């Protein structure tokens, strides 16, 4: 494994200051965890199919926590979506910088994913349970822990007498898990309030328990619906089957064209432009992803590149007749939803057109001329950062000090589409993506959890960053 590619930077803090900040973090840790448990108990979900009251209560609770830090300029703000309905409530709290000092924006989100199949949870999803050094509950890691990292780090800096006069803006979004539909509008409407020199996004993860990471790249995303139509309506499979293939069979053939025999994405125009400098051991990946022993890993090239810098296409849903209601007929139409992750440097609009062109290219061969369905969905830009920038080096130094381990400059195979909006609206700011998750946090899944030891380290790292940034 290759760690940070830069010469290790040093924090502009003496040992006494680091010790005071560490003590302040540890003294407040129990209270911080208790507050996190309270936040987990609020089922704030930004999806239209869920009640809005808990989401608003979640925002109000976070706003009160920011005010309790002594931050006087705190607002709960909402923008309208395209259809006129309100977006998720966001909390913005601002402490102005002293003259000549930078401003740091601290981002996290207070909304959470639905719990899914509740029978898969070992404990009540909205009752935080501490067990074996981990805190279990929906949002315990993603991303209410991120909120508490920001709040606790700021408080520790104050308690340690290490306030260097930096400006701090808390930006706690309320609709990230619903796709951030009003995020760009929010940024542009409140650009002046949110302007900063450094943006810290606490919504990612670490390399593994005990080993911190600074996320340096994210894959972009395009999704949509593909499918085939072969008949005007369903017909008797015995009377007419044979000369025409049914739609589910042709959909299977279509899906099979999306990868080559090695498992690489077979859509032209999605070339790799970035390369990882980290070795991701196959055994670690298999353990982290719970891959069955009999399954051979797909694709070619270094495993880290397959995860972070090359395209990855998944079929995440299908519309075909359910078996319990299936009549013995040839089905006229079948559809599937695809999710295509894109390596840094790939334009999502170009990728979407590449998918369309691929479908047309296989229509007459693999699909016997069937009518092709293509419905473009959402897009999100990939992200890559330069860790030679001074704020990134300071973050790496803070992580190194707090964890007592060399931080990894890590890509992430997932996508955070709003990062592109932050970069475009605030092009002069340095964007740092940090987090508290580890490979077993199971964000979005049943039994989501937070490693409390790494949570403490994350709080300390950010407190050190805030104290050092103004020196």
């Amino acid at each position: 494994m290759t760690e940070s590619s830069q010469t290790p930077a040093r924090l502009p803090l003496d040992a006494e200051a680091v010790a005071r900040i560490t003590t302040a973090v540890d003294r407040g840790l129990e209270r911080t965890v208790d507050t996190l448990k309270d936040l987990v108990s609020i089922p704030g979900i930004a999806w239209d199919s869920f009640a809005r009251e808990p989401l608003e209560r979640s925002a109000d609770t976070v706003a009160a926590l920011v005010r309790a830090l002594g931050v006087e300029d705190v607002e709960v703000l909402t923008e309208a979506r395209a259809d006129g309905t309100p977006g998720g409530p966001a909390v913005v709290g601002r402490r102005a910088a002293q003259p000549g000092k930078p401003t740091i924006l601290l981002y996290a989100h207070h909304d959470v994913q639905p719990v899914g199949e509740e029978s898969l949870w070992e404990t009540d999803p909205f009752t935080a349970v501490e067990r074996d050094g981990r805190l279990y509950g929906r949002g315990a890691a993603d991303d209410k822990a991120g909120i508490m990292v920001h709040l606790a780090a700021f408080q520790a800096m104050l308690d340690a007498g290490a306030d260097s006069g930096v400006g701090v803006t808390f930006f706690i979004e309320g609709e990230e898990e619903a796709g951030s539909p009003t995020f760009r509008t929010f940024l542009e409407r409140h650009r002046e309030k949110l302007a900063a020199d450094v943006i810290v996004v606490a919504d990612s993860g670490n390399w593994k328990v005990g080993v911190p990471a600074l996320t340096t790249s994210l894959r972009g995303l395009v999704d949509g619906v593909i499918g085939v139509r072969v008949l005007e309506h369903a017909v008797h499979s015995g009377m007419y089957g044979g000369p025409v293939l049914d739609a589910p069979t042709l959909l299977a053939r279509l899906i099979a064209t999306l990868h080559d025999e090695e498992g690489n994405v077979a859509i032209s125009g999605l070339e790799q432009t970035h390369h990882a400098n980290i070795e991701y051991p196959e055994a670690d990946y298999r353990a982290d992803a719970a891959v069955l022993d009999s399954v051979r890993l797909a694709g070619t090239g270094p495993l880290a590149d397959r995860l972070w810098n090359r395209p990855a296409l998944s079929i995440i849903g299908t519309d075909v007749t359910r078996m319990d209601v299936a009549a013995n007929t040839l089905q006229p139409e079948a559809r599937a939803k695809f999710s295509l992750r894109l390596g840094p440097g790939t334009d999502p609009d170009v990728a979407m057109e590449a998918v369309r062109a691929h479908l047309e290219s296989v229509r007459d061969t693999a699909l016997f001329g069937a009518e092709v369905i293509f419905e473009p969905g959402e897009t999100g830009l990939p992200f890559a950062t330069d860790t030679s920038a001074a704020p990134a080096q300071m973050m790496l130094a803070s992580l190194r000090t707090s964890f007592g381990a060399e931080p990894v400059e890590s890509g992430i195979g997932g996508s955070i589409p709003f990062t592109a909006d932050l970069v475009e609206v605030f092009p002069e700011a340095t964007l740092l993506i940090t987090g508290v998750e580890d490979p077993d946090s199971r964000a979005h899944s049943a039994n989501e959890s937070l490693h409390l030891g790494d949570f403490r380290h994350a709080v300390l790292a950010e407190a050190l960053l805030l104290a050092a940034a103004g020196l």
Side-chain angles (χ1 to χ4, degrees):
M1 180 177 71
T2 303
E3 286 106 5
S4 172
S5 60
Q6 303 292 327
T7 301
R10 296 178 61 87
L11 284 172
L13 296 169
D14 59 31
E16 181 183 349
V18 172
R20 291 200 315 271
I21 296 169
T22 302
T23 298
V25 168
D26 289 338
R27 283 177 175 170
L29 190 60
E30 183 177 356
R31 179 179 68 250
T32 298
V33 173
D34 286 344
T35 304
L36 175 56
K37 291 177 180 179
D38 292 339
L39 287 179
V40 169
S41 71
I42 306 174
I45 301 170
W47 296 19
D48 289 340
S49 53
F50 289 82
R52 186 173 176 85
E53 184 278 331
L55 188 67
E56 294 178 340
R57 177 157 42 98
S58 178
D60 291 340
T61 301
V62 171
L65 291 172
V66 177
R67 292 189 186 100
L69 296 172
V71 179
E72 297 179 355
D73 184 2
V74 181
E75 301 173 275
V76 177
L77 302 169
T78 302
E79 293 296 325
R81 294 184 290 192
D83 62 2
T85 58
V91 177
V92 177
R94 303 166 64 216
R95 188 191 79 160
Q98 294 180 8
K101 303 293 186 177
T103 294
I104 300 178
L105 185 146
L106 304 176
Y107 169 94
H109 63 88
H110 66 87
D111 66 307
V112 298
Q113 282 277 321
V115 300
E117 178 54 59
E118 194 160 349
S119 65
L120 298 176
W121 287 79
E122 295 176 4
T123 57
D124 176 15
F126 292 111
T127 300
V129 175
E130 194 172 336
R131 186 174 71 247
D132 299 327
R134 302 188 73 96
L135 186 69
Y136 289 82
R138 176 56 87 224
D142 183 17
D143 184 34
K144 291 179 177 180
I147 299 171
M148 292 311 303
V149 165
H150 294 329
L151 300 180
F154 185 83
Q155 185 68 65
M157 177 190 70
L158 297 179
D159 291 346
D163 188 350
S164 61
V166 295
V168 177
T169 300
F170 296 93
F171 176 25
I172 313 300
E173 189 194 353
E175 58 179 22
E176 195 274 343
E177 299 293 9
S180 301
T182 70
F183 191 82
R184 183 59 178 256
T185 302
F186 194 98
L187 293 186
E188 293 175 346
R189 182 74 57 85
H190 304 288
R191 184 192 303 254
E192 187 173 330
K193 293 179 180 179
L194 300 174
D197 301 287
V198 179
I199 300 173
V200 179
V201 174
D203 193 20
S204 187
N206 292 308
W207 185 248
K208 59 183 178 180
V209 170
V211 180
L214 181 64
T215 298
T216 58
S217 70
L218 298 162
R219 284 194 289 202
L221 173 69
V222 299
D223 66 24
V225 173
I226 59 176
V228 293
R229 187 178 296 110
V230 293
L231 300 165
E232 295 287 345
H233 53 79
V235 296
H236 194 291
S237 63
M239 296 290 290
Y240 298 103
V244 64
L245 295 178
D246 58 88
T249 296
L250 288 176
L251 177 62
R253 291 174 63 91
L254 171 57
I255 292 172
T257 70
L258 300 175
H259 296 85
D260 64 20
E261 291 184 358
E262 294 294 329
N264 299 297
V265 175
I267 298 172
S268 299
L270 306 178
E271 287 74 18
Q272 177 180 345
T273 60
H274 287 63
H275 297 274
N277 64 352
I278 295 173
E279 295 178 7
Y280 196 149
E282 180 174 332
D284 290 353
Y285 173 79
R286 285 182 172 277
D288 294 344
V291 180
L292 299 179
D293 291 341
S294 62
V295 174
R296 178 169 59 92
L297 298 189
T300 56
L303 185 55
D305 278 333
R306 281 181 267 168
L307 279 171
W308 304 333
N309 297 317
R310 301 188 67 179
L313 192 149
S314 303
I315 300 299
I316 60 175
T318 58
D319 280 346
V320 296
T321 304
R322 297 200 330 265
M323 290 189 294
D324 60 343
V325 296
N328 210 341
T329 58
L330 301 178
Q331 296 303 307
E333 179 179 310
R335 296 147 54 94
K337 184 168 185 178
F338 72 92
S339 174
L340 175 60
R341 306 286 177 166
L342 308 171
T346 303
D347 186 323
D349 293 333
V350 171
M352 191 74 84
E353 287 306 309
V355 175
R356 185 195 304 273
H358 177 84
L359 299 183
E360 292 298 328
S361 73
V362 301
R363 175 179 177 180
D364 291 335
T365 52
L367 307 182
F368 292 84
E371 182 179 330
V372 171
I373 298 167
F374 179 63
E375 299 172 3
E378 300 295 324
T379 64
L381 286 165
F383 164 80
T385 192
D386 177 10
T387 57
S388 66
Q393 286 294 298
M394 193 173 294
M395 186 75 253
L396 289 168
S398 297
L399 290 168
R400 185 180 299 112
T401 301
S402 63
F403 277 77
E406 189 63 30
V408 174
E409 297 176 18
S410 170
I412 294 292
S415 307
I416 307 179
F418 67 74
T419 56
D421 293 324
L422 288 170
V423 170
E424 290 176 0
V425 176
F426 304 111
E428 301 303 318
T430 299
L431 182 61
L432 305 176
I433 302 178
T434 65
V436 295
E437 296 175 28
D438 63 82
D440 199 35
S441 287
R442 305 187 191 184
H444 294 201
S445 299
N447 303 307
E448 176 182 348
S449 70
L450 169 72
H451 188 278
L452 290 171
D454 280 2
F455 175 64
R456 178 262 186 193
H457 297 329
V459 172
L460 176 57
E462 190 165 295
L464 294 171
L465 177 73
L466 293 176
L471 299 179

